[in-house]
Structures are given as C-alpha cells and as structure tokens.
Amino acid sequence: MVTWRKSLILGMLALALTGCHRPTEQGQQYKDGKLKQDLIEVTSPNTQGTPINGPDYLQQVSQINQTSSRLYNSNKETYQAVENWLRSGADTRQLRQFNLSAFQMEGVDKYGNVQFTGYYTPVLEARLTKQGEFQYPLYKMPANSRSKLPSRAAIYNGALSPSLIAAYSNSIMDNFMMEVQGSGYVDFGDGKPLTFFGYAGKNGHPYRSIGKVLIDNGEVERKDMSMLAIRDWADKHNDAEVRKLLEENPSFVFFKPEPFTPVRGASAIPLVALASVASDRSIIPAGTVLLAEIPVLDNTGNFTGEYQMRLMVALDVGGAIKGHHFDIYHGIGKDAGHMAGFYNHYGRVWVLKKSQLNLLNPSS
C-alpha cells in the first residue's frame, strides 16, 4: 500500500489512454489504461465538469475545524488550497495553479475503477422493555470486552446478561442494519428527542458478508446484490430463516446510548451527507480530501449513464471497506437509506494534496 511522504513527487506522470469504453450497468469505465500503482500523480484529472457540492464540502471541513484541531491542522494547507480552487471556479485543469497535486487511485481493477457503496444513519422504533412486537435486544458493550466475546448466534441464544440490553426493537433485521451502519437513532415512542446509539465496539469475531452468503446460496444474483436486496429477501422469509442467515456472520456490534447528538464517524467528526466517506485507512488516512466522479442513479437504483463530481473527506471506517472502495455517507432516515442501499457502483477518485512546491511563486 502507498503511504504519504513529506516530499511529493515533483515529476508529473502521464496516463496512457486506451480509449473510452461504454460504461457497464455499475458505471465501470475503463478509460484510463492500466495504472501501475495504488496512487499515481497526474497533471490534471481526466474528467469534465466541476464539483456539485462545494457548500457541503466546506461545511464538512468547518466541522473538522470545530471538532478536531489536530486533524484540521494536519491537513490545513490542503483544505485551504482546495477552498481557494473551489471559490475560483474549480476547473480541474487549474489544480496546479492552486498548489494542488492530484493522485488518481488505480481502482479495484487497476484501470481506475473505484468501488462506491453507501451507508446512512437509520432511525429504529424501540422500547425500553420487552413488549408486543418489540422483542429484539440492542446490546451495550460488556465490561470484559478485552477477551473474545460470544458469537452472534450465542448472543441471539441469550449468552449475554440481560443487564446489557439497552432497548428492544421490533425488527432483528433493523438491528442488524444498524450494526452495519455503525450507529443510529432510536425512537422510544414517547415524544422525546431521539436517542443516539453510537458505536461501542465489536465481539471480536470475523465479519462475514451475508450478502455473499445469499449470492453463494443462489438466493440473489451477484449483479442485484445491495442492502435493499437483502431487505427484500428478509421480507419474504420468516423470523427463523432471517435469524439463521444473520448468524452466518459471527461478528456483532454493541452500542452506547447517549442523548441526541450529531452523527459522527470514526474520526469523531459530525458527518455531512454526501461530503464524507468511510475508507481503508491503510491507503486513505483520516482527513484526506477526495475528488470523486460518482455514477448517478435514478430513483430505482439504475445507473443513468451520467456521473457527478463531488469533493469529499475520508472521516469514517467500515469493517467491509478495504482497498480501493469507499462507503459514501448519505444522511439520516428512510430516504437516505433507500439511496444508500442502491449503491454498489464504480467511478473514479483523485486524492488532492497540497504541493510542497509553490507553483504560483516557484522562487518562494
């Protein structure tokens, strides 16, 4: 994996173009020829248009500045250079004029195609006591969390103390989806502000994708796999069958109930919808600025053949987010979850970094 160095490569590397191919249904483009390393510096991104979310990006950087002086200061020069570029029209051909270097990610196929999925913050209905349809426990983190904890199946079978139960929801699948998202809001139905259930930790067992289980079992076609496909499958099966599927993933997430608070990622920064992503930090460290060309989907999740450019910041992580793969934060609630659930598509990404050499004034 590539690591950041204090001195950036000064020589610009040219990308050999192999011609444009028609994008696939998932937006794979294969435009840029085979790339020879994780991140390759380019003269300017091979893309058209300007970022559509400038105000949201600036709001996200403002949240970083207000919340984490350490993270902000370590990326301050890049943030300021990107802001200057953005306010001057955001022409990708002029990045160097604003002392910015662009590094294209080679993607999952080494042809520049980076994978995008989506996540969101769910809102669950729950009660403090077990009653009626509210039968499915949400657990707090056990005190002895340093040792390996019971598997998901064991937890479902009552392996943990009832004193750890923070609430009972009306859907075991909703609980699981909140685990996948890492946090969520809970509505106790009492008219009071929503309670935030933040991520508190895991049981230490390996994560196994239930989506892959459904694909391997022939239940869902690989091309159709998404969070919504998993939900659709669950809606057509009884509780015992759904539970059996979920137990295929032994990993289990615990939560920490707290008063209503903004949604925060692993960097403890409030997240702005469609301006932040979860990344693999061995490649993309927290605070990194990304220029992303993202496939546009219609309201039924189909790729329209068009792309949008967005500026985003890596502020979160995810157990399934490895390599050249980003999880885009879509916001709070059902509508956000609807669109997030569609995404398993490909676009292109350039990492933006402040150049050490002042290209506007080389003698400085």
Side-chain angles (χ1 to χ4, degrees), residues 145-207:
S145 56
R146 292 185 179 180
S147 59
K148 198 170 188 178
L149 297 168
S151 68
R152 176 179 300 277
I155 292 172
Y156 284 170
N157 282 319
L160 296 177
S161 168
S163 65
L164 294 171
I165 297 175
Y168 294 88
S169 85
N170 57 359
S171 168
I172 193 171
M173 181 55 77
D174 282 354
N175 289 7
F176 181 81
M177 288 298 182
M178 191 162 83
E179 289 185 50
V180 173
Q181 307 310 317
S183 63
Y185 291 107
V186 169
D187 183 351
F188 285 110
D190 54 9
K192 295 180 180 179
L194 302 178
T195 300
F196 185 68
F197 273 47
Y199 175 86
K202 296 192 292 187
N203 62 348
H205 290 256
Y207 177 90

Side-chain angles (χ1 to χ4, degrees), residues 344-358:
N344 187 11
H345 292 72
Y346 297 85
R348 294 185 294 174
V349 174
W350 295 266
V351 174
L352 302 184
K353 295 287 287 185
K354 173 71 162 57
S355 302
Q356 287 203 328
L357 178 63
N358 188 332

Side-chain angles (χ1 to χ4, degrees), residues 18-66:
T18 60
C20 298
H21 296 266
R22 185 175 180 176
T24 68
E25 291 182 356
Q26 290 182 295
Q28 288 169 297
Q29 302 173 89
Y30 303 105
K31 281 186 176 179
D32 296 319
K34 189 167 184 177
L35 306 177
K36 299 183 183 299
Q37 60 193 68
D38 279 354
L39 297 169
I40 182 168
E41 191 169 6
V42 297
T43 303
S44 63
N46 177 29
T47 187
Q48 297 179 347
T50 58
I52 66 168
N53 69 328
D56 290 339
Y57 164 78
L58 294 175
Q59 181 186 354
Q60 185 65 84
V61 171
S62 176
Q63 292 287 358
I64 298 171
N65 189 16
Q66 295 173 34

